[in-house]
Amino acid sequence: NSLMASLLRRLQPICKRSINHNYRIQLQQHRNVTVRILNDGESCFEHVQSRDPQQAEFLQAVREVIESCEPLFTKYKDYIYCLPVICEPERIIQFRVPWVDDEGHTHVNRGFRVQFSQSLGPYKGGLRFHPSVNQSIIKFLGFEQIFKNALTQLPLGGAKGGSDFNPKEKSEAEILRFCQAFMSELFAHIGPDTDVPAGDIGVGSREIGFLYGEWKRITAKCQGVLTGKGVGWGGSNIRPEATGYGVVYITQMAMKDEFNTNYENKRVAISGSGNVAQFTAEKVFELGGNVISFSDSGGSIIEPNGFSANNYEKFLEIKKHGKRCKDYARESKTCKFYEHERPWKHIGDNIDIAFPSATQNEIDGEDATSLIKSGVKYVAEGANMPSTHDAMSLFQKHCDIYIPAKAANAGGVAVSGLEMAQNSQRVIWSRQEVDKKLYDIMEGIYDQIKTTAIDLDRPNDYVLGANAAGYKKVADAMFDQGQPLKSWGSFGIAELQDNEV
């Protein structure tokens, strides 16, 4: 024993020196990685990818922003230094949601809230209830939300949340119990000046009502902690319509500005059949356009000559009762139904405008090629990131106008911001007031993405314009708040690398 103790005493300084040396090497390597991130977008992406290699949707969103913003980083070099910070959420909350079905059986789902950036204001973003929900999808949605919210010019940060709960084929009582269980955990992380969730896929006015009722029961407060509420109890006029109306407004602005044209007699293809799709169609009809398609997860319906007023009313009535697109097809003699198919390959010729309004990555390269062959000149995204990287590239190359989701579908969060303002003031604005404010916000977004693209020598590149304009606004706020300092760009990097620990 004494011999072993003596040997250990002699080895201790050697081990200590070896540990210290290895620690210095590891720290040195970490610093070198940081330097590469601060000077190169691709290295930043590789760093993000190395941390979350399985999060395909999130990585797709990050890559799109980095690649499209290269002209910004080239012209205004300081902005690159925000990349490693802005790509990391400020906070990720994951929790279990146990709930009991009508048969008395207990189920457990996962709940998420990714609070991505509070640089511009309280966290703001929707809640999605869908079986596909995972951390990657919530992170991608939250990342996109940062820049979308920035474009509205309202003081809103970026966040997203949800659960892998599937509300379809659940009773109202089961949905109520799930919403109560979900809010029993989420309530601790939200508030009118902290984080204000809204609806998304699977979370409509009914679910918002259930969630809000539970939040009030737990907290004994009545505040604007959720948006998308009913107009009779704190909600805003035009909120359900806002995303669809906004998509139509900004596309109209671009068509008029660039080509002096409008919706009159234009043939319009729409995917999805929820709020976004329905109110996009409503505004298109109002402006003289002709809608020919809708879809859901069960398939697509196409009226080759367009939906008549009667057909559209019939479609809305069917959806109002929770039925599917195939149920409409059974009642229309002129409708074509394509089971489990997206509409893009089946819409025929002479299509002028496409509004993908269903879900992420619904349009791949083949779908985009079919749309282009159909004659589509104008594309604006109603859903979040509905186009794959290949589809985006094709639209940018072949379409006269392509407006990405960050700009095109910002109308929903814009009116959510207006709902927050009304809650704070204890007022309710009329439909006309809110619609006018929505139009003005979308006009401001169009002006931003257009002027930013021109400033970066890429006129009419609205993908660059949307990403760069949103990124600049957030980055400027981060610099002002010291997260990070602009001086990082001119810091003594070589000296930092050479210094000993």
Side-chain angles (χ1 to χ4, degrees):
N1 289 341
S2 60
L3 181 62
M4 180 64 71
S6 175
L7 179 60
L8 287 172
R9 280 196 299 273
R10 289 198 298 273
L11 287 174
Q12 191 174 21
I14 298 172
C15 294
K16 186 175 181 179
R17 287 196 299 272
S18 176
I19 290 168
N20 287 342
H21 177 69
N22 290 336
Y23 177 74
R24 284 197 297 272
I25 289 174
Q26 290 170 6
L27 188 56
Q28 183 73 49
Q29 290 172 340
H30 173 73
R31 284 177 172 171
N32 288 341
V33 167
T34 304
V35 169
R36 289 201 300 274
I37 290 170
L38 293 177
N39 286 278
D40 177 73
E42 183 59 31
S43 294
C44 180
F45 177 77
E46 291 173 1
H47 175 69
V48 174
Q49 187 177 40
S50 71
R51 286 185 160 190
D52 300 300
Q54 305 303 318
Q55 296 185 356
E57 296 86 0
F58 173 59
L59 293 174
Q60 179 185 344
V62 171
R63 178 177 282 281
E64 188 240 315
V65 169
I66 291 175
E67 288 183 352
S68 69
C69 282
E70 283 298 334
L72 174 70
F73 302 144
T74 300
K75 185 170 183 177
Y76 303 106
K77 298 186 185 301
D78 280 343
Y79 284 114
I80 192 75
Y81 305 122
C82 277
L83 257 180
V85 185
I86 209 168
C87 288
E88 190 67 26
E90 293 178 8
R91 196 170 293 105
I92 298 178
I93 301 152
Q94 180 175 322
F95 49 93
R96 69 183 180 189
V97 187
W99 59 281
V100 179
D101 67 19
D102 290 340
E103 304 300 319
H105 302 132
T106 298
H107 302 259
V108 180
N109 287 92
R110 284 182 173 176
F112 302 90
R113 189 66 178 173
V114 175
Q115 296 174 331
F116 228 111
S117 173
Q118 210 178 34
S119 296
L120 298 178
Y123 301 112
K124 187 79 190 80
L127 297 171
R128 174 176 294 192
F129 292 169
H130 192 272
S132 67
V133 164
N134 55 37
Q135 192 177 112
S136 173
I137 286 177
I138 298 299
K139 281 177 69 178
F140 120 65
L141 291 167
F143 186 70
E144 294 272 295
Q145 199 78 44
I146 302 170
F147 310 113
K148 181 192 303 184
N149 293 1
L151 288 171
T152 68
Q153 299 294 302
L154 299 172
L156 302 172
K160 205 75 178 186
S163 174
D164 55 2
F165 172 76
N166 185 2
K168 290 182 180 176
E169 299 180 1
K170 301 290 192 301
S171 71
E172 192 167 53
E174 288 173 329
I175 293 171
L176 171 62
R177 287 194 290 273
F178 175 82
C179 288
Q180 290 172 334
F182 184 86
M183 183 54 76
S184 71
E185 174 62 31
L186 184 66
F187 87 95
H189 309 289
I190 63 176
D193 298 314
T194 306
D195 185 351
V196 183
D200 194 87
I201 294 173
V203 180
S205 59
R206 176 183 62 180
E207 288 75 19
I208 290 293
F210 292 164
L211 291 165
Y212 189 49
E214 182 67 5
W215 184 86
K216 290 200 299 178
R217 188 191 68 80
I218 294 169
T219 64
K221 296 178 181 178
C222 186
Q223 297 175 326
V225 72
L226 291 163
T227 58
K229 303 184 293 296
V231 176
W233 41 277
S236 174
N237 283 301
I238 305 292
R239 179 58 190 92
E241 298 93 331
T243 304
Y245 282 14
V247 172
V248 176
Y249 287 154
I250 197 169
T251 307
Q252 180 186 40
M253 294 164 193
M255 290 194 300
K256 181 174 178 56
D257 185 38
E258 300 291 341
F259 301 100
N260 194 31
T261 189
N262 55 38
Y263 284 99
E264 194 68 35
N265 298 320
K266 296 285 193 302
R267 286 169 57 81
V268 180
I270 298 175
S271 65
S273 54
N275 272 355
V276 179
Q278 290 177 27
F279 290 114
T280 296
E282 180 180 293
K283 186 58 68 170
V284 167
F285 286 133
E286 182 184 316
L287 296 173
N290 193 4
V291 174
I292 67 160
S293 67
F294 293 100
S295 68
D296 58 26
S297 58
S300 300
I301 50 174
I302 294 173
E303 289 282 5
N305 295 320
F307 280 78
S308 66
N310 287 339
N311 283 343
Y312 182 60
E313 289 300 321
K314 184 187 298 182
F315 170 72
L316 291 181
E317 189 65 23
I318 285 170
K319 297 302 292 185
K320 181 180 178 181
H321 288 88
K323 296 183 179 180
R324 314 285 286 163
C325 284
K326 64 182 179 183
D327 296 309
Y328 170 83
R330 295 190 184 105
E331 297 190 22
S332 171
K333 296 179 180 179
T334 55
C335 174
K336 295 181 179 179
F337 177 67
Y338 298 91
E339 189 172 9
H340 301 306
E341 293 276 346
R342 294 167 290 199
W344 313 119
K345 295 176 182 176
H346 308 289
I347 53 178
D349 297 327
N350 302 316
I351 305 300
D352 301 293
I353 305 170
F355 291 126
S357 306
T359 190
Q360 70 269 4
N361 290 329
E362 61 170 288
I363 299 183
D364 58 21
E366 289 185 9
D367 292 324
T369 300
S370 296
L371 273 170
I372 292 162
K373 288 180 179 178
S374 297
V376 166
K377 303 178 185 69
Y378 316 112
V379 178
E381 297 179 335
N384 290 306
M385 202 172 73
S387 306
T388 65
H389 186 273
D390 289 344
M392 288 181 67
S393 298
L394 288 166
F395 289 148
Q396 287 183 278
K397 183 177 180 181
H398 296 287
C399 293
D400 292 337
I401 292 172
Y402 171 53
I403 306 177
K406 288 183 193 69
N409 75 10
V413 74
V415 174
S416 279
L418 299 180
E419 181 176 331
M420 292 167 64
Q422 292 170 80
N423 291 165
S424 297
Q425 298 175 57
R426 300 292 194 268
V427 298
I428 300 175
W429 296 328
S430 68
R431 286 183 62 86
Q432 292 76 17
E433 286 180 283
V434 178
D435 199 16
K436 176 64 165 61
K437 291 178 187 292
L438 169 61
Y439 187 91
D440 290 345
I441 289 171
M442 298 311 297
E443 190 171 43
I445 292 173
Y446 177 66
D447 289 342
Q448 287 178 77
I449 65 176
K450 179 183 177 181
T451 56
T452 301
I454 291 171
D455 177 57
L456 297 174
D457 301 319
R458 297 266 287 273
N460 303 323
D461 185 344
Y462 297 133
V463 175
L464 168 62
N467 284 322
Y471 184 98
K472 281 176 66 179
K473 185 171 177 62
V474 176
D476 286 339
M478 293 173 69
F479 284 140
D480 289 345
Q481 296 165 27
Q483 301 177 348
L485 293 170
K486 271 192 177 182
S487 59
W488 283 16
S490 55
F491 194 73
I493 289 172
E495 183 181 334
L496 174 68
Q497 291 178 331
D498 293 337
N499 283 344
E500 294 238 15
V501 176

